[in-house]
Amino acid sequence: MIQDDNDVLEPPINFSMVDEGIFRSGFPQPPNFPFLKTLQLRSIIYLCPEPYPEENLEFLRSQNIQLFQFGIEGKKEASSSAASSIPKQTILEALKVLIDVRNHPVLIHCKRGKHRTGCLVGVLRKFQNWCLASVFEEYQRFAGAKSRTTDLRFIETFDVVGLRDCLYGIIHHYYRLAYYASKKRRLLLYTQAQQDMQTYQHYKP
Protein backbone atom coordinates (compact mmCIF):
# COMPACT_ATOMS: atom_id res chain seq x y z
CA MET A 1 0.00 0.00 0.00
CA ILE A 2 1.34 3.44 -0.98
CA GLN A 3 0.55 6.54 1.06
CA ASP A 4 2.43 9.02 -1.11
CA ASP A 5 5.33 9.07 -3.55
CA ASN A 6 7.97 8.57 -0.84
CA ASP A 7 6.16 6.61 1.89
CA VAL A 8 5.30 2.93 1.37
CA LEU A 9 3.05 1.36 4.00
CA GLU A 10 3.95 -2.21 4.90
CA PRO A 11 1.24 -4.44 6.47
CA PRO A 12 2.16 -7.24 8.91
CA ILE A 13 2.65 -10.74 7.51
CA ASN A 14 -0.54 -12.65 6.67
CA PHE A 15 -2.56 -9.45 6.95
CA SER A 16 -6.14 -9.54 5.72
CA MET A 17 -9.53 -8.02 6.36
CA VAL A 18 -11.88 -10.52 8.01
CA ASP A 19 -15.02 -8.40 8.08
CA GLU A 20 -15.97 -4.77 8.44
CA GLY A 21 -13.91 -3.47 11.36
CA ILE A 22 -12.10 -6.81 11.88
CA PHE A 23 -8.56 -7.59 10.66
CA ARG A 24 -6.08 -10.44 11.12
CA SER A 25 -2.32 -10.79 10.75
CA GLY A 26 0.91 -12.17 12.08
CA PHE A 27 2.87 -10.33 14.77
CA PRO A 28 3.21 -6.62 13.87
CA GLN A 29 6.76 -5.28 13.68
CA PRO A 30 7.80 -1.60 14.04
CA PRO A 31 7.95 -1.11 10.23
CA ASN A 32 4.24 -2.05 10.19
CA PHE A 33 3.18 0.69 12.63
CA PRO A 34 2.52 3.38 9.98
CA PHE A 35 0.23 0.94 8.18
CA LEU A 36 -1.63 0.06 11.40
CA LYS A 37 -2.24 3.77 12.01
CA THR A 38 -4.36 3.87 8.86
CA LEU A 39 -6.71 1.23 10.31
CA GLN A 40 -7.59 3.53 13.25
CA LEU A 41 -7.70 0.52 15.57
CA ARG A 42 -9.49 0.61 18.90
CA SER A 43 -8.16 -2.72 20.09
CA ILE A 44 -5.84 -5.66 19.44
CA ILE A 45 -6.55 -9.29 20.35
CA TYR A 46 -3.20 -10.98 21.02
CA LEU A 47 -3.29 -14.79 21.19
CA CYS A 48 0.20 -15.59 22.51
CA PRO A 49 1.35 -16.07 26.13
CA GLU A 50 4.61 -14.12 25.74
CA PRO A 51 4.70 -10.53 27.07
CA TYR A 52 3.96 -7.86 24.48
CA PRO A 53 7.17 -6.04 23.43
CA GLU A 54 7.63 -2.62 25.01
CA GLU A 55 8.02 -0.99 21.59
CA ASN A 56 4.63 -2.36 20.55
CA LEU A 57 3.07 -1.29 23.85
CA GLU A 58 4.39 2.22 23.34
CA PHE A 59 2.77 2.30 19.90
CA LEU A 60 -0.54 1.13 21.38
CA ARG A 61 -0.40 3.82 24.05
CA SER A 62 0.37 6.51 21.48
CA GLN A 63 -2.66 5.46 19.41
CA ASN A 64 -4.99 4.81 22.37
CA ILE A 65 -5.38 1.15 21.36
CA GLN A 66 -6.53 -1.35 23.99
CA LEU A 67 -4.73 -4.70 24.22
CA PHE A 68 -6.64 -7.89 24.98
CA GLN A 69 -4.23 -10.77 25.58
CA PHE A 70 -5.33 -14.40 25.58
CA GLY A 71 -2.27 -16.55 26.18
CA ILE A 72 -2.55 -19.66 24.01
CA GLU A 73 0.54 -21.85 23.73
CA GLY A 74 1.71 -22.39 20.16
CA LYS A 75 2.36 -26.14 20.10
CA LYS A 76 3.22 -28.27 17.11
CA GLU A 77 0.74 -30.94 16.07
CA ALA A 78 1.87 -34.30 17.44
CA SER A 79 -0.47 -36.36 15.24
CA SER A 80 -3.73 -35.97 13.38
CA SER A 81 -5.51 -37.98 16.10
CA ALA A 82 -4.19 -35.88 18.99
CA ALA A 83 -6.47 -33.52 20.89
CA SER A 84 -6.27 -29.83 20.03
CA SER A 85 -4.05 -27.69 22.27
CA ILE A 86 -6.40 -24.72 21.74
CA PRO A 87 -8.36 -24.12 24.99
CA LYS A 88 -12.08 -23.72 24.24
CA GLN A 89 -12.78 -21.36 27.14
CA THR A 90 -9.98 -19.01 26.10
CA ILE A 91 -11.23 -18.89 22.51
CA LEU A 92 -14.76 -18.27 23.81
CA GLU A 93 -13.58 -15.29 25.88
CA ALA A 94 -11.62 -13.93 22.91
CA LEU A 95 -14.67 -14.36 20.69
CA LYS A 96 -16.80 -12.32 23.11
CA VAL A 97 -14.30 -9.46 22.79
CA LEU A 98 -14.16 -9.88 19.02
CA ILE A 99 -17.91 -9.63 18.38
CA ASP A 100 -18.33 -6.59 20.63
CA VAL A 101 -18.49 -3.70 18.15
CA ARG A 102 -17.32 -1.30 20.85
CA ASN A 103 -13.86 -2.84 20.32
CA HIS A 104 -13.88 -2.27 16.56
CA PRO A 105 -11.82 -1.70 14.51
CA VAL A 106 -9.89 -4.66 15.94
CA LEU A 107 -6.81 -6.60 14.85
CA ILE A 108 -6.42 -10.30 15.75
CA HIS A 109 -2.90 -11.70 15.70
CA CYS A 110 -0.65 -14.42 17.07
CA LYS A 111 2.88 -15.08 15.86
CA ARG A 112 2.36 -16.00 12.22
CA GLY A 113 -1.36 -15.37 11.87
CA LYS A 114 -2.00 -19.01 10.98
CA HIS A 115 -3.14 -21.47 13.66
CA ARG A 116 -4.30 -19.59 16.75
CA THR A 117 -5.64 -16.69 14.70
CA GLY A 118 -7.13 -19.17 12.23
CA CYS A 119 -9.01 -20.97 15.01
CA LEU A 120 -10.50 -17.75 16.38
CA VAL A 121 -11.54 -16.58 12.92
CA GLY A 122 -12.91 -20.07 12.23
CA VAL A 123 -15.26 -20.00 15.22
CA LEU A 124 -16.26 -16.44 14.28
CA ARG A 125 -17.30 -17.78 10.86
CA LYS A 126 -19.38 -20.49 12.55
CA PHE A 127 -21.01 -17.74 14.61
CA GLN A 128 -21.73 -15.98 11.30
CA ASN A 129 -23.34 -19.19 9.97
CA TRP A 130 -20.72 -19.91 7.31
CA CYS A 131 -20.82 -23.42 5.90
CA LEU A 132 -18.02 -25.60 7.26
CA ALA A 133 -16.39 -26.08 3.83
CA SER A 134 -15.90 -22.31 3.47
CA VAL A 135 -14.58 -22.04 7.04
CA PHE A 136 -12.01 -24.76 6.34
CA GLU A 137 -11.01 -23.22 3.01
CA GLU A 138 -10.28 -19.87 4.68
CA TYR A 139 -8.27 -21.53 7.47
CA GLN A 140 -6.20 -23.53 4.98
CA ARG A 141 -5.58 -20.50 2.79
CA PHE A 142 -3.68 -18.81 5.63
CA ALA A 143 -2.14 -21.93 7.21
CA GLY A 144 -0.90 -23.26 3.86
CA ALA A 145 1.19 -26.41 4.07
CA LYS A 146 1.12 -26.16 7.88
CA SER A 147 -2.64 -26.71 8.11
CA ARG A 148 -3.47 -28.79 11.21
CA THR A 149 -6.15 -31.46 11.38
CA THR A 150 -6.53 -30.81 15.11
CA ASP A 151 -7.34 -27.15 14.44
CA LEU A 152 -9.97 -28.10 11.86
CA ARG A 153 -11.51 -30.56 14.32
CA PHE A 154 -11.50 -27.89 17.02
CA ILE A 155 -13.37 -25.47 14.74
CA GLU A 156 -15.83 -28.16 13.65
CA THR A 157 -16.76 -29.18 17.19
CA PHE A 158 -16.81 -25.69 18.73
CA ASP A 159 -20.32 -24.86 20.00
CA VAL A 160 -21.40 -21.26 19.42
CA VAL A 161 -25.06 -21.71 20.43
CA GLY A 162 -24.44 -20.68 24.04
CA LEU A 163 -22.59 -17.57 22.88
CA ARG A 164 -25.51 -16.58 20.64
CA ASP A 165 -27.85 -16.77 23.64
CA CYS A 166 -25.42 -14.63 25.65
CA LEU A 167 -25.17 -12.10 22.82
CA TYR A 168 -28.94 -11.83 22.44
CA GLY A 169 -29.16 -11.10 26.17
CA ILE A 170 -26.56 -8.33 25.84
CA ILE A 171 -28.36 -6.83 22.83
CA HIS A 172 -31.68 -6.84 24.73
CA HIS A 173 -30.00 -5.14 27.69
CA TYR A 174 -28.54 -2.36 25.53
CA TYR A 175 -31.83 -1.84 23.68
CA ARG A 176 -33.50 -1.29 27.05
CA LEU A 177 -30.80 1.18 28.09
CA ALA A 178 -31.11 3.03 24.76
CA TYR A 179 -34.92 3.15 25.11
CA TYR A 180 -34.84 4.66 28.60
CA ALA A 181 -32.05 7.08 27.64
CA SER A 182 -34.13 8.24 24.64
CA LYS A 183 -37.23 8.61 26.84
CA LYS A 184 -35.24 10.71 29.33
CA ARG A 185 -33.90 12.93 26.52
CA ARG A 186 -37.45 13.51 25.23
CA LEU A 187 -38.60 14.50 28.72
CA LEU A 188 -35.70 16.95 29.10
CA LEU A 189 -36.44 18.51 25.70
CA TYR A 190 -40.14 18.85 26.59
CA THR A 191 -39.26 20.49 29.92
CA GLN A 192 -36.84 22.88 28.22
CA ALA A 193 -39.48 23.79 25.64
CA GLN A 194 -41.99 24.53 28.41
CA GLN A 195 -39.47 26.75 30.17
CA ASP A 196 -38.68 28.60 26.94
CA MET A 197 -42.37 29.18 26.32
CA GLN A 198 -42.85 30.57 29.84
CA THR A 199 -39.86 32.87 29.34
CA TYR A 200 -41.29 34.05 26.01
CA GLN A 201 -44.71 34.72 27.56
CA HIS A 202 -43.07 36.66 30.42
CA TYR A 203 -41.18 39.03 28.11
CA LYS A 204 -43.87 39.24 25.43
CA PRO A 205 -45.04 42.90 25.10
Side-chain angles (χ1 to χ4, degrees):
M1 181 180 291
I2 299 177
Q3 189 173 26
D4 55 42
D5 293 338
N6 300 313
D7 190 9
V8 178
L9 299 179
E10 179 184 350
I13 60 170
N14 256 342
F15 175 83
S16 181
M17 182 176 181
V18 176
D19 209 330
E20 183 177 357
I22 302 176
F23 307 92
R24 63 178 291 170
S25 75
F27 205 106
Q29 302 298 323
N32 308 136
F33 293 168
F35 173 83
L36 294 183
K37 283 184 181 180
T38 68
L39 303 180
Q40 298 182 322
L41 297 172
R42 284 186 184 175
S43 55
I44 283 179
I45 296 176
Y46 173 47
L47 301 175
C48 301
E50 294 80 13
Y52 219 52
E54 183 57 37
E55 192 169 9
N56 290 58
L57 287 173
E58 182 58 38
F59 170 73
L60 266 55
R61 286 191 288 265
S62 71
Q63 301 300 308
N64 198 27
I65 299 172
Q66 186 172 3
L67 177 67
F68 295 93
Q69 183 171 1
F70 300 92
I72 301 173
E73 294 288 345
K75 297 178 181 178
K76 293 183 178 180
E77 186 174 46
S79 69
S80 59
S81 61
S84 173
S85 62
I86 304 291
K88 287 187 177 182
Q89 188 59 37
T90 304
I91 286 291
L92 179 62
E93 293 304 316
L95 186 58
K96 289 178 182 178
V97 172
L98 179 58
I99 62 178
D100 189 338
V101 294
R102 294 173 297 178
N103 298 321
H104 295 181
V106 57
L107 173 69
I108 314 161
H109 79 81
C110 50
K111 187 176 181 181
R112 296 290 180 183
K114 294 182 178 181
H115 304 113
R116 288 166 281 193
T117 298
C119 285
L120 179 55
V121 172
V123 297
L124 170 68
R125 296 310 193 192
K126 287 191 68 177
F127 184 78
Q128 294 175 323
N129 289 320
W130 277 35
C131 71
L132 206 54
S134 296
V135 176
F136 285 177
E137 188 279 329
E138 182 179 42
Y139 169 90
Q140 291 166 333
R141 178 155 38 92
F142 287 91
K146 296 190 176 182
S147 174
R148 295 176 179 173
T149 304
T150 52
D151 286 350
L152 297 176
R153 190 181 303 116
F154 172 85
I155 294 170
E156 181 178 7
T157 58
F158 193 93
D159 180 17
V160 296
V161 174
L163 181 60
R164 284 200 185 98
D165 292 341
C166 176
L167 178 62
Y168 294 151
I170 293 171
I171 290 172
H172 178 68
H173 173 70
Y174 279 109
Y175 268 126
R176 288 183 61 191
L177 289 179
Y179 169 77
Y180 287 118
S182 176
K183 192 173 182 180
K184 184 177 180 180
R185 283 196 298 271
R186 289 198 298 269
L187 179 61
L188 288 173
L189 288 172
Y190 175 77
T191 304
Q192 184 62 49
Q194 290 289 93
Q195 291 174 348
D196 291 344
M197 180 61 70
Q198 291 172 1
T199 302
Y200 173 75
Q201 292 293 344
H202 177 76
Y203 287 104
K204 186 178 179 180

